Amino acid sequence: MSHTVRPRRSVLYMPGSNARALEKAKGLDADVLIFDLEDAVAPDAKELAREQVCRAAQSRAYGHREVVIRINALTTEWGEADLEAAANAAPDAILVPKVSEQDDVFASQAVLDKVGCSADVKLWAMIETPLSILNARDIAATAKTDAGSRLSCFVAGTNDLAKDTKAHLVGDRYTMLPWLQTCLAAARAFGLSVLDGVFNNIDDYAGFAAECQQGLELGFDGKTLIHPRQVEICNQIFSPMPDDVAFARKIIEAFSRPENQTRGALRLDGRMVERLHADMARDMVAIADAIAGRS
């Protein structure tokens, strides 16, 4: 089945209670904007934030940027009202925090179905609790086993994982790697996109770049961000390199030749390439073309 390829290199959280930030977001070069009703919003500002965020999403004024609303957990006093309001605003996706088991996905989908939300509105799930790591496979599996599933993306919540496990967030994240890789493997097994967690030290550009590079090498589609200053570096690192894209196009062209239709591998520019490399090449070219075609 064909689907629209959208780059998700830079995924920026914007505080829903800050109207100026929501307006400023229209000029930022982030691929995705997450309008946040949860962590970035004080309890006494939750209802104002909900109104502002839904109005912003309904404006359709964010151009190429994917718009996502992060609600409060359904177990909170604001969660269900957030989800219903977000459904009516019809963003590209709704990000549900504290998804720890399959029932959290089913409960969210039930609310969206109840209010007649368009099937185009997808669900993204925060994987940020110890139980969510243990249940990552089952949570991801809802994307394939549930006929009405909207689940399309996992978002790693490293700060909450550190808090709940008491693990330290150290520079090379060795304490997080098993959980990040579990999240990633579960997502890929069931065809989901998957995004890396945030980097907290806004002024540490070298550390941020290193963590972006690590996330790229692990296999993440992009990284969640907490400040606009992080967008440019993130976009650079998660963008396919021009030389790699050029070689990917050569691989695709080589395997498309009539004489190579039945070949499983061939020699190209001194390298051995297999059909799996052609699949990888098509994915890379699709992302590169999507980045180039943003308007």
Side-chain angles (χ1 to χ4, degrees), residues 64-137:
H64 65 77
R65 301 159 193 86
E66 214 169 348
V67 171
V68 179
I69 297 175
R70 179 164 74 167
I71 64 170
N72 288 280
L74 292 182
T75 53
T76 68
E77 61 186 282
W78 310 285
E80 188 159 344
D82 284 350
L83 186 52
E84 291 185 3
N88 289 323
D92 293 292
I94 297 170
L95 176 56
V96 182
K98 305 295 188 291
V99 174
S100 293
E101 53 190 340
Q102 284 188 336
D103 284 349
D104 296 328
V105 177
F106 296 144
S108 300
Q109 291 183 163
V111 173
L112 298 185
D113 293 341
K114 180 183 73 174
V115 300
C117 181
S118 167
D120 292 335
V121 178
K122 303 305 180 183
L123 279 177
W124 290 14
M126 294 290 305
I127 304 300
E128 57 182 342
T129 70
L131 193 56
S132 71
I133 295 298
L134 295 176
N135 288 333
R137 181 206 178 280

